[in-house]
Amino acid sequence: RTKAISDESDQALLKYLRSHADAVLVGGATVQAELYGPVKLDDDVQRRRVAAGYADRPPLVVVTARALLSTDLKIFDADGPRTIVVTLESAGEAAAPLREVADVVMLPGEEIDPSAVLDLLRDRGLRRVLCEGGPFVLSRFIEHDLVDDMCLTVSPYLAGSQPTTPQPTSGREAPTHLRLRHVLTRNDLLYMRYSRA
């Protein structure tokens, strides 16, 4: 989970990025591991969005091939835009209960096509899509060459494997904090050295 390896500045930047998005896209495993809720923005940000012709808040778009999401998740709270769940037709009956709490879109095929996800969002007028991960969803968008911008936070912690990875979740009680020692850049590469704090 990211809370232990984040800080207030990182969270403020995330909120800023969300304030400029038409939709916030995230994978089903990450939604569950991170205990996602509806996107929340400050009242003044919501007023500015509405004045500029956008919805007050971007909807959450959850990509999940098998639709194995509990309807009790916070992402389905009535406060805010209705969550959009993108899944496969093969998910079948697993997606049925989700229709009561979300807009469910079922795609054909054996795996979710990221281009099809963006097309269906564009059809809804949602052109600026902020992909918050997790690693599987992000890698699929990278493989299909669909990433236009990349905002990357490097956190100075060693946390071990997390619930969204195939490996068993780390048994560490708390991440190890590191201190930044050196930063070098050349040809748009960034070289950093961290050591224990």
Side-chain angles (χ1 to χ4, degrees):
R1 306 235 354 245
T2 57
K3 185 174 183 180
I5 59 171
S6 185
D7 69 4
E8 290 180 9
S9 298
D10 190 43
Q11 293 302 312
L13 180 56
L14 179 65
K15 193 178 274 190
Y16 175 80
L17 292 171
R18 286 176 163 194
S19 75
H20 289 84
D22 294 327
V24 175
L25 187 140
V26 65
T30 298
V31 158
Q32 295 175 87
E34 294 287 347
L35 305 176
Y36 263 68
V39 175
K40 295 185 179 182
L41 298 174
D42 297 332
D43 291 343
D44 60 325
V45 172
Q46 291 185 52
R47 283 191 290 274
R48 284 198 302 269
R49 285 177 58 96
V50 170
Y54 298 102
D56 63 343
R57 288 177 279 172
L60 197 61
V61 180
V62 182
V63 178
T64 170
R66 295 180 297 165
L68 299 178
L69 299 172
S70 167
T71 57
D72 294 333
L73 292 172
K74 291 180 186 178
I75 59 168
F76 301 124
D77 287 351
D79 178 33
R82 194 165 166 92
T83 297
I84 301 168
V85 174
V86 181
T87 190
L88 292 173
E89 290 173 349
S90 59
E93 291 302 311
L98 297 175
R99 293 186 185 282
E100 296 181 22
V101 294
D103 292 343
V104 178
V105 180
M106 301 182 90
L107 299 175
E110 295 182 17
E111 55 185 39
I112 292 178
D113 177 2
S115 297
V117 174
L118 292 182
D119 288 344
L120 75 89
L121 294 177
R122 284 189 192 107
D123 289 346
R124 292 173 178 238
L126 306 172
R127 303 187 64 79
R128 300 174 302 173
V129 179
L130 175 63
C131 178
E132 294 184 356
F136 179 76
V137 169
L138 180 57
S139 69
R140 298 280 298 143
F141 276 79
I142 290 170
E143 286 298 318
H144 284 78
D145 197 23
L146 296 172
V147 176
D148 295 323
D149 281 332
M150 178 80 168
C151 298
L152 179 66
T153 298
V154 178
S155 181
Y157 295 91
L158 298 175
S161 60
Q162 298 299 299
T164 58
T165 63
Q167 296 82 19
T169 302
S170 173
R172 299 169 54 105
E173 289 185 24
T176 301
H177 185 253
L178 303 176
R179 190 178 79 205
L180 181 62
R181 301 293 297 271
H182 298 286
V183 178
L184 300 171
T185 181
R186 182 173 170 83
N187 299 328
D188 294 326
L189 293 173
L190 184 61
Y191 306 92
M192 297 175 289
R193 177 185 172 207
Y194 283 92
S195 59
R196 285 185 179 265

